[in-house]
């Protein structure tokens, strides 16, 4: 049986869109029918047309249809979105030349939706370095902040979501901006295990390599069309210098082609590396006196920075390198955590060569240029002085790894 999915007219009620669909063929196993796909906004979107309401669903299923050579049928689709699909698809083809992208898309009615206002911007906001950088760079546009519950904070982590929400609320108040929250099951209605197996040859996983980016951005269509915005900013995760080293579904060759209801999408900040972004954030905060509490941690529950994982400490080092106090930016690390940090140095799984060169070397170079080693806590001075090429290759780690290899060899000889 041919792989196909037929989407019914979305059910639009108040602030919620619910999607009902029927999947046929082998690819049925990538969907979880017991988990409905819905999107809830903190604003009433009942007036949007179904040709716009289908877009969150399509942004999360089109990439699947391409790798499974499947057909998607919808009752109607926005004209701008319909005509951007091939360019978006080409972005995936260029990124993953070893993967075959096929599939078809059928919309029985293609609607040219008007956007008479077509003014102003919205920006996705997670609270991290990338998101805050986009905010301060485009602050004069007064962007509406969009935060999604269901991307990195799970539904069951209500405590974490409340902290994220209060962080959003406080940021919007501080910068005098409007905000919209979006609760979505876009990650729950899919079977990640099956999708990961399908794209294993790409060298990346489904979420990072195929869904992240477009899957989130699609949620902006109903609310930005209703508000008459002209631009949606989606902060870059990586930089142009990492092109060809890292793959990610969020890329300018994909994001910048997305269109809906005369709204354009901008993959923002791609020309800045992470240290550049931290510099711009700390400079802005220093000049304006506006506090910027960053939220970067993916490891901890509760929506706060754990100050123990690689990403937290990477950010702490970047802030410190700019001569700023990381504790003032949302990292209340303790003396004990400071002493534990070098453990990350032991394990190359934490710090692959591309991150050592593009992130840690930049932080160390900046640190050496801007501050004296003596101003650092003693527990951080080792990073200032170390040979960065050895980061992730600590002698103790190498010794223990060598012992493990020898033991395995002896065991195999004696079998």
């Amino acid at each position: 049986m041919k792989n196909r999915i037929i989407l019914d007219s979305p059910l639009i009620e108040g602030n919620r869109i619910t999607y009902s669909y029927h999947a046929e063929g082998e690819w049925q196993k990538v969907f979880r029918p017991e988990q409905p796909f819905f999107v809830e906004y903190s604003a009433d979107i009942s007036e949007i047309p179904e040709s716009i309401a289908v877009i969150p669903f399509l942004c999360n299923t089109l990439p699947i249809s391409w790798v499974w050579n499947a057909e998607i049928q919808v009752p109607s689709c926005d004209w701008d979105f319909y005509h951007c699909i091939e360019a978006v698809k080409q972005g995936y083809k260029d990124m993953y030349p070893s993967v075959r992208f096929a599939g078809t898309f059928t919309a029985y009615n293609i609607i040219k939706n008007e956007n008479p206002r077509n003014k102003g911007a919205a920006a996705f906001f997670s609270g991290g370095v990338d998101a805050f950088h986009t905010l301060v760079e485009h602050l004069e546009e007064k962007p509406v902040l969009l935060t999604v519950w269901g991307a990195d904070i799970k539904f069951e982590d209500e405590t974490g979501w409340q902290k994220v929400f209060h962080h959003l609320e406080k940021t919007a108040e501080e910068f005098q901006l409007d905000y919209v929250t979006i609760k979505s099951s876009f990650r729950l209605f899919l079977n990640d295990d099956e999708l990961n197996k399908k794209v294993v040859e790409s060298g990346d996983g489904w979420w990072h390599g195929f869904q992240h980016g477009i899957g989130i951005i699609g949620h902006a269509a109903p609310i930005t069309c209703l508000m008459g915005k002209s631009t949606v900013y989606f902060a870059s995760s990586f930089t142009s210098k990492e092109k060809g080293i890292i793959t990610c579904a969020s890329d300018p060759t994909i994001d910048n082609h997305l269109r809906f209801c005369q709204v354009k999408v901008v993959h923002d900040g791609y020309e800045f590396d992470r240290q550049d972004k931290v510099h711009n954030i700390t400079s802005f905060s220093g000049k304006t006196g506006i506090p910027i509490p960053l939220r970067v941690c993916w490891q901890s529950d509760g929506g706060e920075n754990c100050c123990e994982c690689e990403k937290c400490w990477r950010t702490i080092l970047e802030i410190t390198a700019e001569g700023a106090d990381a504790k003032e930016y949302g990292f209340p690390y303790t003396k004990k955590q400071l002493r534990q940090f070098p453990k990350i140095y032991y394990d190359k799984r934490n710090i692959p060569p591309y991150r050592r060169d593009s992130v840690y070397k930049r932080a160390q170079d900046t640190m050496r240029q801007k501050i004296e080693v003596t101003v650092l806590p003693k527990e951080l001075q080792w990073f200032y002085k170390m040979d960065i090429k050895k980061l992730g290759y600590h002698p103790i780690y190498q010794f223990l790894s060598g012992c493990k290899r020898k033991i395995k060899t002896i065991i195999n000889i004696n079998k």
Side-chain angles (χ1 to χ4, degrees):
M1 182 182 293
K2 180 180 178 180
N3 289 323
R4 181 169 60 182
I5 198 166
I6 302 169
L7 177 67
D8 298 331
S9 292
L11 179 62
I12 307 167
E13 298 177 298
N15 67 335
R16 180 183 172 107
I17 308 173
T18 305
Y19 301 94
S20 176
Y21 60 90
H22 174 67
E24 301 173 348
E26 184 188 3
W27 79 326
Q28 290 182 68
K29 60 188 177 182
V30 306
F31 301 102
R32 298 174 60 204
E34 75 280 6
Q35 175 59 66
F37 183 16
F38 70 88
V39 184
E40 288 181 356
Y41 297 84
S42 60
D44 190 323
I45 45 87
S46 59
E47 296 300 316
I48 63 165
E50 71 170 31
S51 58
I52 296 294
V54 299
I55 292 175
F57 180 86
L58 290 174
C59 282
N60 284 283
T61 54
L62 278 168
I64 307 174
S65 72
W66 297 335
V67 300
W68 282 89
N69 189 20
E71 180 186 10
I72 297 178
Q73 296 180 9
V74 299
S76 65
C77 182
D78 174 65
W79 190 94
D80 288 326
F81 185 78
Y82 181 86
H83 287 281
C84 82
I85 290 174
E86 283 305 313
V88 171
K89 187 177 184 179
Q90 187 61 48
Y92 279 93
K93 288 180 178 180
D94 294 341
M95 185 176 293
Y96 300 111
S98 65
V99 178
R100 181 173 179 265
F101 291 88
T104 56
F105 174 58
T106 303
Y108 291 103
N109 289 289
I110 301 172
I111 311 296
K112 184 79 172 179
N113 291 294
E114 298 298 327
N115 184 351
R117 185 182 174 196
N118 200 221
K119 183 180 179 181
F124 279 95
F125 184 76
S126 63
V129 168
D130 302 322
F132 259 114
H133 182 260
T134 288
L135 173 55
V136 300
E137 288 290 296
H138 298 281
L139 187 56
E140 74 283 355
E141 299 176 56
K142 294 291 183 182
V144 175
L145 303 182
L146 308 177
T147 297
V148 180
W149 183 8
D152 58 340
I153 299 291
K154 297 178 180 179
F155 289 170
E156 56 265 30
D157 186 8
E158 293 187 15
T159 300
W161 169 249
Q162 285 304 313
K163 289 180 180 178
V164 170
F165 174 72
H166 290 313
H167 182 249
L168 167 67
E169 194 174 39
K170 187 175 180 180
T171 301
E173 180 181 357
E174 189 73 61
F175 288 92
Q176 298 181 357
L177 302 173
D178 293 327
Y179 64 86
V180 174
T181 60
I182 306 168
K183 183 178 182 179
S184 173
S185 62
F186 75 117
R187 295 194 67 178
L188 298 177
F189 89 112
L190 300 175
N191 185 331
D192 269 1
D193 290 340
E194 291 294 337
L195 288 165
N196 286 332
K197 285 191 289 186
K198 184 67 176 178
V199 298
V200 66
E201 64 185 293
S202 73
D204 209 333
W206 183 259
W207 167 246
H208 183 266
F210 292 80
Q211 188 181 11
H212 174 249
I214 185 175
I216 297 175
I217 294 169
H219 292 85
I223 193 67
T224 55
C225 293
L226 193 65
M227 299 175 77
K229 299 301 180 184
S230 64
T231 307
V232 172
Y233 291 110
F234 194 79
S236 63
S237 298
F238 300 103
T239 173
S240 55
K241 296 174 185 176
E242 295 166 307
K243 189 73 173 178
I245 301 173
I246 302 169
T247 59
C248 180
S250 180
D251 189 88
T253 61
I254 296 172
D255 298 347
N256 286 343
H257 291 293
L258 284 165
R259 296 285 188 279
F260 34 77
C261 194
Q262 299 177 315
V263 179
K264 67 178 180 180
V265 175
V266 175
H267 182 91
D268 186 67
Y270 192 58
E271 68 273 27
F272 298 96
D273 68 18
R274 191 173 169 86
Q275 192 66 49
D276 291 331
K277 291 179 178 181
V278 171
H279 169 77
N280 290 343
I281 288 169
T282 54
S283 295
F284 174 88
S285 183
K287 290 175 183 176
T288 63
I290 298 176
I292 297 183
L294 297 167
R295 187 180 74 85
V296 307
C297 189
W298 291 342
Q299 181 168 298
S300 66
D301 292 329
E304 294 183 339
N305 298 318
C306 70
C307 297
E308 294 178 356
C309 70
E310 184 273 334
K311 193 171 184 186
C312 278
W313 275 103
R314 182 200 323 172
T315 313
I316 290 169
L317 287 173
E318 290 163 338
I319 294 169
T320 304
E322 296 295 336
D325 184 353
K327 290 184 178 180
E328 295 180 0
Y329 289 83
F331 298 91
Y333 58 85
T334 63
K335 276 280 187 181
K336 180 179 179 181
Q337 288 170 322
L338 195 62
R339 289 192 294 269
Q340 292 294 312
F341 168 52
K343 285 186 176 181
I344 295 173
Y345 172 35
Y346 291 12
D347 194 341
K348 63 184 178 182
R349 291 172 299 180
N350 284 328
I351 308 175
Y354 77 82
R355 190 176 297 154
R356 178 197 68 203
D357 298 337
S358 66
V359 176
Y360 286 91
K361 186 177 188 305
R362 279 281 285 128
Q364 188 189 61
D365 288 345
T366 302
M367 191 178 285
R368 289 174 172 178
Q369 290 166 9
K370 294 190 175 184
I371 61 177
E372 296 293 331
V373 66
T374 52
V375 307
L376 291 171
K378 289 183 179 180
E379 295 88 350
L380 281 184
Q381 291 181 8
W382 67 273
F383 178 77
Y384 189 106
K385 299 173 182 178
M386 74 173 297
D387 179 356
I388 203 71
K389 291 181 180 179
K390 295 180 179 179
L391 190 65
Y393 295 86
H394 192 282
I396 294 176
Y397 178 85
Q398 294 301 301
F399 173 75
L400 293 175
S401 296
C403 290
K404 288 180 181 178
R405 287 194 297 270
K406 288 180 181 179
I407 291 171
K408 286 182 179 179
T409 300
I410 293 171
I411 292 173
N412 289 332
I413 291 173
N414 293 328
K415 279 186 178 178

